[in-house]
Amino acid sequence: MTSLPLSDKHGATTYRFDWVAGVLAGLVVFCAAASIATAEWMASLDLLALTTLAGWGLSSLIITRSWRARTVHCLMILYGIVWVMMIALNNLPDKVYGFTSLDSLRHLIVRLGEHVYLWLEAVSTGGVGKDNTIFLMLLIAGFWLITYLATWNTIRQPHLWRTVAPAGIILLINMYYYGGQAPLAFWLLVYLFGVLLYAARLYTLRQEQRWQFGRVRFKPDVERDFLQLGAIIAVAAVVFGMVAPVFAGAPQVTGLWREISRPIRSIEDTFSRLFSGLQPHGLPYTNPFGRTLALLGQRTLGNELVLEVRSPESLYWQGVVYDRYTGAAFQSSDTERISASIDERALPQRFDERELITQTVSVYFPNNTLIFAASQPVAVNQTSWLEMLPGNDLTMWTMLTPIGGGNSYRVVSAVSRALVPQLQAAGSTYPPTVRERYLQLPDTLPARVRDLAQQIVTDAKATNPYDQAAALETWLRRHIEYNDQIPAPSQGQDGVDYVLFETRQGFCDYYASAMAVMARSLGIPARIVTGFATGTYDSRRGVYQVYQNNAHTWVEIYFPSYGWVQFEPTASQPSIERPQPENTTEDSDSGDVGAGSARRRGREGIDEEFDPNTGPASDLGSPENPAAVQAASVSPIGWLLAIGLGAILLVAGGGFVAMGWYENRGAPAQAGGGTWAFARLSRMTRWLRVRQSEADTPYE
């Protein structure tokens, strides 16, 4: 125990607070708070550290009183509610000046209630939550709670894991999903150092209590000695953790983690929907696209290399398909998961004018399971999961084992080669599953969005679905200005209406959403796809280098017999040029999707023609040799690391058993209690080179 219940002169019970253990418990929680603040998921997160300090000071004062546990709990909950309300009211985004006549306390409370109500209404109806005030309130409340629990489990009911585990879990989750350049590892090292010292201090205090109970006298210096020894061990453990081999990157370890964490993937998707306003700085340490694509405000993308693709032509690399529009976001909804074995033709080619092409994709961001490929992927040389919609429509393809660090996989796609006249003559006889899912629109869609779509196709004299979709695409490219720093729509405002009539500016998410929604309003099945644009072609190595700032969203329109065909409404991207009946050799602003030479658009916006068949051999492996590509994704180093870890654990376990046997050697089998403790103490004094006489008693 870290404190002993004491009785004052009136017989009331009080608790002695050990400052060393208390400070270490507070440090452990503070590290988690500082880690989240450093990640900068949103503004004002530095208040988490202040919350930890305030909660630690107040709980240390209250818990040491002689009050009953129920009274202490109620007081800390009451103070926590007051603290959370103060933080939330002071950080409302629509606050005027503060607690003044223009922004009274009553008005602030009413405004906060509106924020909570609108957020609950949005998320309860399947929409997205874009109000970061709610996230801040939940974080403040959570850290107040874990700070109080850490202090309670240090003073009243000492328990190591109840004190350190909540903060450690939060810290690790924050590090797992953060991909920026901020030094979060520093806070992990401080946390580990604090935990080891806390464990040493807790052990010392428990031993002191046992010695006091057994009337064994000891020098007060033993506390300092144990703390120094614990500090040395803590430093050694942290240094070892920094220089030891990293086992987390081994495929076997990450695969085990992926299997264990499978049930929480739906929690990840729900979290991204509830708090879609957060800004993940840097490259995410997980799949970069989730099941919800919210229409938020400005975005910031880095320039990290994420993919390298060996492909016979320049294409878009799709990641996730979205079908349901809520007014605030597009979502991938109601999918069914099915398994696919290596190179199994999971999606049979069901459409006309399709050509199979093979791509080899190398992934450079960690813990990714999402498969990126050209439109309509049909097979991959990985055991995988397919997220399917009714009608055999693929929305997401994921691997069982995470891939990253430059490891590769081979994927085959059925790319559309349909000619423009064929698409114009495709008609509008859509399957029932396509009509039901891809014509869906919310009842709240403003009528002026439908009216604008009808006006655009009327002015263009477009009479068939292809010409109407092309008219919408052209209008958006001409009339909406590209700007990825626009403010977010107001709460409850339709995102498409916002970009079409209010800002007249936006980025790819807005362009694609606007075109898909207007097409649906005309009875044309449409969906949006997110992934990456082509990237930069490296002619020396014959690969497309895809960077984080190549993240892109585009539109696909359904045509009977020909399936889903891509459209590009974003003004900053080259338009898609489709194969024509006659052979054409003219250059264009986009990659030719025909059988001839491909084009690529560089990161500086320069289009260059290339022949992918003349480039040098790639070091990624041949697409025709799936075994070679698969071998590249499973490194023998991973097995060696796993075996090494097992050997270390085996040696450590054997060492502990040997130490226990050595420590109890020569003692009678029935020895226990004071006899065993005295024998152990005698051996410890010999280890410390303390001279001991045969006449010495436990007192000496």
Side-chain angles (χ1 to χ4, degrees), residues 418-605:
L419 304 177
V420 171
Q422 292 175 319
L423 298 177
Q424 290 172 327
S428 58
T429 307
Y430 305 115
T433 54
V434 172
R435 284 185 169 274
E436 178 182 357
R437 183 166 297 276
Y438 298 106
L439 294 179
Q440 171 271 335
L441 288 173
D443 297 334
T444 57
L445 181 70
R448 60 180 181 175
V449 175
R450 302 176 186 269
D451 296 340
L452 176 61
Q454 187 62 53
Q455 178 185 344
I456 292 171
V457 298
T458 300
D459 294 343
K461 298 180 181 180
T463 57
N464 61 76
Y466 176 83
D467 289 342
Q468 291 176 344
L472 297 175
E473 177 188 49
T474 301
W475 188 93
L476 288 168
R477 295 177 66 87
R478 290 178 179 175
H479 293 86
I480 303 299
E481 179 184 354
Y482 185 86
N483 182 5
D484 61 358
Q485 299 300 308
I486 63 172
S490 59
Q491 188 72 29
Q493 183 178 14
D494 186 272
V496 169
D497 181 80
Y498 171 73
V499 70
L500 290 178
F501 298 99
E502 187 167 326
T503 65
R504 288 295 182 105
Q505 296 179 344
F507 49 91
C508 57
D509 295 352
Y510 287 92
Y511 281 98
S513 298
M515 179 175 172
V517 168
M518 288 197 292
R520 290 185 178 189
S521 71
L522 298 173
I524 304 173
R527 66 188 189 183
I528 68 173
V529 184
T530 190
F532 292 98
T534 300
T536 303
Y537 183 67
D538 184 351
S539 58
R540 182 182 62 83
R541 300 177 57 220
V543 296
Y544 293 93
Q545 294 183 320
V546 183
Y547 297 84
Q548 188 187 3
N549 53 23
N550 291 127
H552 189 49
T553 305
W554 59 94
V555 179
E556 289 186 343
I557 302 294
Y558 185 88
F559 295 94
S561 300
Y562 301 103
W564 295 101
V565 176
Q566 295 176 342
F567 284 77
E568 180 51 270
T570 303
S572 64
Q573 293 290 328
S575 58
I576 296 176
E577 187 171 306
R578 308 189 191 284
Q580 300 291 333
E582 58 276 355
N583 294 326
T584 59
T585 59
E586 294 82 15
D587 291 341
S588 65
D589 292 334
S590 68
D592 184 1
V593 297
S597 64
R599 286 183 173 273
R600 61 101 175 172
R601 177 181 176 88
R603 296 172 63 199
E604 297 77 22

Side-chain angles (χ1 to χ4, degrees), residues 294-438:
L295 296 177
L296 304 175
Q298 63 182 15
R299 68 172 186 176
T300 302
L301 298 176
N303 58 358
E304 295 88 352
L305 179 67
V306 294
L307 302 174
E308 282 189 338
V309 185
R310 173 175 294 278
S311 171
E313 58 190 272
S314 61
L315 297 164
Y316 285 166
W317 320 117
Q318 79 170 40
V320 182
V321 175
Y322 302 95
D323 63 293
R324 182 173 181 267
Y325 180 62
T326 66
F330 262 92
Q331 296 176 344
S332 179
S333 62
D334 301 330
T335 60
E336 178 185 0
R337 171 174 287 187
I338 62 175
S339 61
S341 59
I342 296 177
D343 283 328
E344 176 184 352
R345 186 58 59 83
L347 296 175
Q349 189 175 358
R350 299 178 291 112
F351 303 120
D352 298 337
E353 301 299 329
R354 294 271 170 171
E355 179 182 351
L356 296 179
I357 67 168
T358 301
Q359 312 120 73
T360 302
V361 183
S362 298
V363 182
Y364 287 94
F365 51 93
N367 293 329
N368 171 73
T369 59
L370 197 60
I371 294 175
F372 295 93
S375 177
Q376 189 76 21
V378 296
V380 67
N381 67 330
Q382 300 280 340
T383 304
S384 53
W385 291 105
L386 294 90
E387 301 286 345
M388 305 293 295
L389 290 170
N392 203 28
D393 280 338
L394 174 71
T395 64
M396 187 186 307
W397 204 332
T398 58
M399 290 174 281
L400 300 184
T401 304
I403 189 172
N407 290 327
S408 307
Y409 60 87
R410 179 181 58 82
V411 61
V412 179
S413 299
V415 177
S416 176
R417 303 300 192 196
L419 304 177
V420 171
Q422 292 175 319
L423 298 177
Q424 290 172 327
S428 58
T429 307
Y430 305 115
T433 54
V434 172
R435 284 185 169 274
E436 178 182 357
R437 183 166 297 276
Y438 298 106

Side-chain angles (χ1 to χ4, degrees), residues 203-237:
Y203 176 80
T204 303
L205 294 174
R206 286 176 175 172
Q207 290 299 106
E208 286 184 4
Q209 184 180 358
R210 291 174 181 171
W211 293 337
Q212 291 173 356
F213 182 77
R215 300 181 182 276
V216 177
R217 296 184 61 181
F218 59 91
K219 293 182 179 181
D221 294 344
V222 71
E223 295 184 359
R224 182 194 61 195
D225 296 339
F226 268 98
L227 196 61
Q228 291 176 348
L229 180 61
I232 295 173
I233 296 175
V235 171

